[in-house]
């Protein structure tokens, strides 16, 4: 029997600092998130971060928490429900971190008789700390607990025309009645070393170059796993789909942690620069690294980013919602699922 498992990042169970600490501990101890030797990661996370950050993060979560719970969880559940309503095969939902674990999601589908699983990480662009960690954990769980389950994972879909069209239309719809001077595409940041580690050629990617480097536009096998290239390609594909002037659009990276160099330009600095140096008065921000609105979009961008922009002299600040449970996006996902289902049917026939 075939089945589908949608997988998103995850969330604390509540805004209580204890729940946030538990969640951060699992998240930050992932070797693909903080990719340093275990002893140092343990010292950094358990000895420093978890003794200082949970209260601050809990306060941030409190600002954006919905009546029904975590926005990311609620929106992911809405997406799952809409997709399930359009297909006959079981569609499950799991999170890489938190109580809605990947193992629990796989077990629920296994108990329904699913032995042929389509795994869909809800990340348009590939990264060690997103797609890779989900796929690797799913494979480990399959070997240990579900040896008779076959897993087929959906790779990064940043350039699939149907996704780009759905994303572009959702952006267009939101901005239709807005007056803006510039659009900033803000992607979640990753350390430069993650790009080097993901470079299968070991020589192509140049993550230390701020902005879009020449390597991003030079054809290479490295692009299959290069987060930086895929982010810039997403921006370019949306610009092309909407027919925008590329001079009025830029790309940046948010949410850096620690002192190591991360992908640049940084979103917070870019927001200030747009207002102070470039005279942009009305700024719109799109966050295409996220399928569902979450702490990084609702608090870091919509609240902190807006404050920084207005303080720097800006006048209007628009945060474009993520694609969330947009009906066109639901149809795109359903199409991929039905394609998977039909391929299996043709093989069996």
């Amino acid at each position: 029997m075939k089945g589908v498992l949608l997988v998103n990042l995850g969330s604390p169970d509540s805004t209580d600092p204890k729940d946030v600490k538990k969640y951060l501990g699992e998240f930050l101890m992932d070797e693909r998130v903080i990719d340093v030797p275990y002893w140092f990661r343990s010292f950094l996370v358990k000895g420093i971060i978890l003794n200082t950050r949970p209260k601050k993060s809990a306060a941030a979560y409190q600002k954006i928490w919905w009546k029904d719970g975590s926005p990311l969880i609620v929106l992911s559940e809405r997406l799952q429900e809409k997709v399930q309503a359009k297909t006959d095969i079981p569609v499950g939902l799991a999170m890489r971190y938190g109580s809605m674990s990947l193992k629990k999601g796989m077990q629920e589908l296994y108990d329904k008789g699913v032995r042929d699983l389509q795994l869909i990480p809800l990340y348009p662009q590939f990264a060690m700390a997103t797609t890779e960690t989900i796929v690797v954990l799913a494979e480990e769980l399959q070997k240990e607990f579900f040896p008779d389950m076959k897993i087929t994972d959906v790779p990064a879909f940043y350039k699939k025309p149907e996704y780009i069209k759905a994303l572009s239309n959702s952006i267009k719809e939101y901005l239709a009645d807005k007056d803006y001077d510039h659009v900033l595409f803000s992607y979640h940041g990753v350390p430069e070393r993650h790009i080097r580690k993901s470079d299968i050629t070991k020589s192509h990617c140049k993550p230390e170059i701020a902005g879009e480097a020449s390597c991003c536009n030079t054809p290479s096998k490295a692009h299959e796993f290069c987060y930086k290239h895929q982010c810039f390609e997403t921006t370019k594909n949306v610009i092309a789909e909407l027919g925008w002037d590329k001079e009025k659009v830029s790309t940046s990276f948010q949410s850096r942690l620690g002192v190591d160099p991360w992908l640049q330009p940084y979103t917070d600095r870019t927001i200030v620069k747009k207002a102070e140096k470039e005279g942009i008065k009305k700024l719109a921000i799109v966050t295409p690294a996220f399928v569902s609105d979450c702490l990084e979009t609702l608090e870091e961008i919509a609240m902190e980013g807006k404050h920084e922009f207005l303080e720097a002299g800006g006048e209007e600040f628009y945060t474009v919602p993520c694609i969330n449970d947009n009906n066109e996006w639901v149809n795109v996902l359903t199409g991929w699922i039905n394609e998977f289902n039909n391929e299996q049917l043709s093989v069996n026939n």
Side-chain angles (χ1 to χ4, degrees):
M1 180 178 175
K2 294 165 286 296
V4 175
L5 187 60
L6 306 177
V7 188
N8 213 330
L9 179 72
S11 174
D13 290 332
S14 76
T15 61
D16 187 298
K18 291 182 179 179
D19 284 338
V20 175
K21 182 176 182 178
K22 180 180 179 181
Y23 172 77
L24 288 177
E26 181 184 3
F27 173 54
L28 297 175
M29 282 302 294
D30 186 339
E31 64 181 351
R32 286 177 173 77
V33 173
I34 298 183
D35 55 323
V36 296
Y38 177 82
W39 68 268
F40 183 58
R41 183 167 66 255
S42 183
F43 167 75
L44 183 64
V45 175
K46 298 177 181 179
I48 300 177
I49 297 177
L50 294 185
N51 290 319
T52 58
R53 187 162 177 168
K55 287 186 178 180
K56 181 179 179 181
S57 294
Y61 275 111
Q62 289 168 11
K63 294 180 184 178
I64 59 100
W65 209 257
W66 290 353
K67 181 180 179 181
D68 295 333
S70 161
L72 181 143
I73 300 295
V74 174
L75 289 166
S76 297
E77 290 174 338
R78 290 176 185 173
L79 177 65
Q80 175 208 10
E81 290 170 2
K82 285 188 174 183
V83 172
Q84 181 64 87
K86 288 179 171 289
T87 183
D88 294 330
I89 68 175
V91 179
L93 175 67
M95 300 291 150
R96 176 58 182 84
Y97 312 102
S99 59
M100 292 178 63
S101 68
L102 192 54
K103 182 184 177 184
K104 184 181 295 184
M106 294 173 70
Q107 185 69 59
E108 289 175 354
L109 290 173
Y110 189 88
D111 291 343
K112 292 179 180 179
V114 172
R115 297 296 183 271
D116 196 348
L117 180 67
Q118 183 182 42
L119 186 72
I120 305 183
L122 293 173
Y123 302 104
Q125 302 84 21
F126 173 90
M128 281 176 52
T130 56
T131 311
E132 184 175 305
T133 189
I134 287 174
V135 172
V136 169
L137 179 58
E139 291 175 348
E140 292 175 352
L141 292 170
Q142 181 269 331
K143 290 178 181 178
E144 184 173 358
F145 300 103
F146 314 103
D148 56 338
M149 177 182 278
K150 174 186 175 184
I151 298 179
T152 303
D153 59 274
V154 173
F157 47 86
Y158 69 100
K159 64 179 179 180
K160 281 186 172 290
E162 61 270 30
Y163 162 72
I164 291 297
K165 185 175 181 180
L167 173 63
S168 299
N169 285 341
S170 70
I171 295 170
K172 182 180 180 180
E173 181 179 359
Y174 178 79
L175 293 177
D177 60 348
K178 307 294 190 300
D179 181 18
Y180 53 93
D181 305 321
H182 193 86
V183 179
L184 178 63
F185 280 63
S186 177
Y187 297 86
H188 198 287
V190 300
E192 291 177 357
R193 66 177 181 273
H194 282 203
I195 304 300
R196 295 191 183 90
K197 287 186 175 182
S198 298
D199 182 359
I200 58 176
T201 71
K202 303 303 179 184
S203 61
H204 180 78
C205 297
K206 303 291 186 278
E208 69 279 1
I209 299 176
E212 187 175 14
S214 59
C215 58
C216 294
N217 293 308
T218 304
S220 171
K221 293 180 180 179
H223 291 172
E224 183 179 354
F225 302 106
C226 181
Y227 178 72
K228 182 177 181 180
H229 161 79
Q230 294 181 10
C231 289
F232 280 103
E233 282 298 301
T234 303
T235 301
K236 288 194 293 187
N237 288 335
V238 171
I239 290 174
E241 179 70 27
L242 294 176
W244 281 352
D245 179 353
K246 64 180 181 180
E247 297 303 319
K248 294 185 177 181
V249 181
S250 52
T251 295
S252 62
F253 300 90
Q254 65 187 85
S255 310
R256 62 189 183 278
L257 173 69
V259 297
D260 289 340
W262 284 47
L263 294 182
Q264 298 186 44
Y266 299 136
T267 293
D268 54 354
R269 296 179 186 177
T270 301
I271 288 173
V272 172
K273 179 182 177 182
K274 290 298 177 187
E276 285 188 347
K277 306 293 184 181
E278 300 180 20
I280 298 297
K281 296 299 182 182
K282 302 174 182 180
L283 181 67
I285 297 197
V286 183
T287 52
F290 307 95
V291 165
S292 307
D293 276 304
C294 54
L295 185 69
E296 287 79 3
T297 65
L298 299 174
E299 196 270 341
E300 184 178 352
I301 296 297
M303 294 181 184
E304 291 186 10
K306 179 178 182 178
H307 176 75
E308 292 168 349
F309 184 69
L310 298 181
E311 283 286 302
E315 297 175 357
E316 298 289 343
F317 187 92
Y318 306 107
T319 306
V320 179
C322 290
I323 202 166
N324 294 320
D325 61 336
N326 173 281
N327 289 333
E328 188 173 358
W329 168 230
V330 170
N331 290 336
V332 168
L333 274 176
T334 305
W336 295 344
I337 292 169
N338 289 338
E339 182 179 346
F340 164 75
N341 192 23
N342 291 336
E343 286 178 353
Q344 298 305 311
L345 288 174
S346 64
V347 169
N348 294 333
N349 293 334

